[in-house]
Amino acid sequence: MDSPLVLASLPYALGIVMLGLGLSLTLDDFRRVGQYPKVVVVALLCQVVLLPAICFGLVLAFRLPPELAIGLMVVAASPGGPTANLFSHLFGGNVALNVTLTAINSVLAVATLPIVVNLSTGYFLPGGASLGLQFDKIQQIFVMVLVPVAIGMLLRAWTPQVARRLNLPVRVLSAVVLVVVISAVLYGERENLVDYFVSVGLAALVFNIVSLLAGYGVPRLTGVDHRAATAAGFEIGIHNTALAITIALSPALLNSAEIAIPGAVYGIIMFFTATAFGWLITRRTQVLIRHAEG
């Protein structure tokens, strides 16, 4: 992964993903928090507190090498991705809530992600202080994450027709970008790929399943309705792996192909597990409805 072209293009690739998110957002998406106060608070606590704690326990339980452990922690700290909105729509979730959670999570990640990364590097690589995210690096994350989102929101507010025309192409391009980024990481590390999958594959799978279940189950335990809990499940289980990989690979940030591997592996796994999860909760709901009617 020492290709100058790939490394130089990463921030722009992430910018496309975040621009696509911005084109789907309005200020009302942030104001909507008042409509779903309970589920927003519960989902954010799961995202910011519960997931990093669970992930930390898993990387210790699986005894991951330091770089892979940090990489999975970066995934845990990354916000939900725009893909969560699509899965929520496909499986009957509250998509408006998804959009709200994605918006808030993306803003919070500028603060929470560096905290998790710095604590992880300090624990797993005590001598690797240079891998942390100091203030200048946090500024770069701010620019990569929030500036494209703000541009997308401004385009939607000022030129709604242009934003509508751009929305689908940018969404498609975002999906292509994610596939290309993951493929580039896996190809660049192809010689060690089998070892990496053996080392981190099962841990990433377990973490992904636990994230989906916690994202759905914790809100349900607090009395949140099925549609809102479905939205929270996808939001918490589907991470913005393009962001995690960019932070790992960028020379100005963590500059480590090994740290990027868990994000690439998770980015592949989550599509299959999210589909299975959506099918299971949809089927369960249909069964419950039939029993109630009977």
Side-chain angles (χ1 to χ4, degrees):
M1 283 308 299
D2 54 356
S3 167
L5 179 61
V6 172
L7 295 176
S9 64
L10 277 173
Y12 300 100
L14 179 63
I16 292 170
V17 175
M18 302 314 292
L19 175 66
L21 172 60
L23 288 171
S24 69
L25 296 177
T26 67
L27 288 177
D28 286 339
D29 297 319
F30 291 90
R31 298 189 188 107
R32 199 182 290 123
V33 173
Q35 296 178 25
Y36 314 106
K38 180 192 288 187
V39 68
V40 168
V41 170
V42 171
L44 291 179
L45 285 174
C46 287
Q47 178 75 52
V48 175
V49 179
L50 184 60
L51 284 198
I54 291 172
C55 187
F56 181 70
L58 286 173
V59 298
L60 292 180
F62 282 93
R63 298 181 180 179
L64 296 186
E67 287 81 4
L68 297 182
I70 294 169
L72 199 57
M73 292 298 294
V74 173
V75 172
S78 298
T83 310
N85 303 347
L86 173 61
F87 273 93
S88 188
H89 171 71
L90 291 174
F91 292 103
N94 187 327
V95 179
L97 174 60
N98 268 106
V99 173
T100 296
L101 289 172
T102 301
I104 297 171
N105 264 330
S106 297
V107 174
L108 285 178
V110 175
T112 58
L113 207 154
I115 292 172
V116 173
V117 171
N118 287 346
L119 289 175
S120 301
T121 54
Y123 183 87
F124 293 107
L125 288 172
S130 61
L131 278 178
L133 297 178
Q134 290 77 39
F135 183 71
D136 59 330
K137 296 181 179 181
I138 295 172
Q139 285 180 310
Q140 292 184 47
I141 294 175
F142 177 88
V143 171
M144 288 192 303
V145 173
L146 295 188
V147 170
V149 171
I151 291 172
M153 291 181 67
L154 289 174
L155 280 173
R156 178 165 176 171
W158 292 346
T159 56
Q161 291 183 337
V162 172
R164 277 196 295 272
R165 284 198 293 269
L166 285 174
N167 192 34
L168 182 59
V170 172
R171 281 179 180 271
V172 172
L173 188 56
S174 296
V176 172
V177 163
L178 181 58
V179 171
V180 170
V181 167
I182 290 174
S183 300
V185 172
L186 297 179
Y187 180 77
E189 293 297 306
R190 60 192 179 279
E191 293 179 3
N192 304 310
L193 205 53
V194 173
D195 291 338
Y196 285 148
F197 264 92
V198 169
S199 298
V200 79
L202 185 57
L205 175 62
V206 172
F207 177 57
N208 183 218
I209 293 171
V210 171
S211 297
L212 289 163
L213 293 176
Y216 178 81
V218 173
R220 288 294 282 165
L221 289 174
T222 62
V224 171
D225 68 82
H226 167 73
R227 289 189 68 237
T230 299
F234 285 120
E235 189 66 31
I236 291 166
I238 298 177
H239 290 268
N240 190 339
T241 50
L243 173 59
I245 292 170
T246 301
I247 289 172
L249 285 180
S250 293
L253 298 174
L254 298 183
N255 193 27
S256 170
E258 281 187 71
I259 293 177
I261 287 294
V265 173
Y266 194 98
I268 295 170
I269 289 171
M270 68 183 187
F271 288 99
F272 299 99
T273 51
T275 301
F277 169 75
W279 181 82
L280 285 171
I281 60 173
T282 301
R283 182 177 175 81
R284 178 178 177 274
T285 303
Q286 291 171 346
V287 169
L288 291 174
I289 289 172
R290 282 199 295 270
H291 278 303
E293 291 175 344

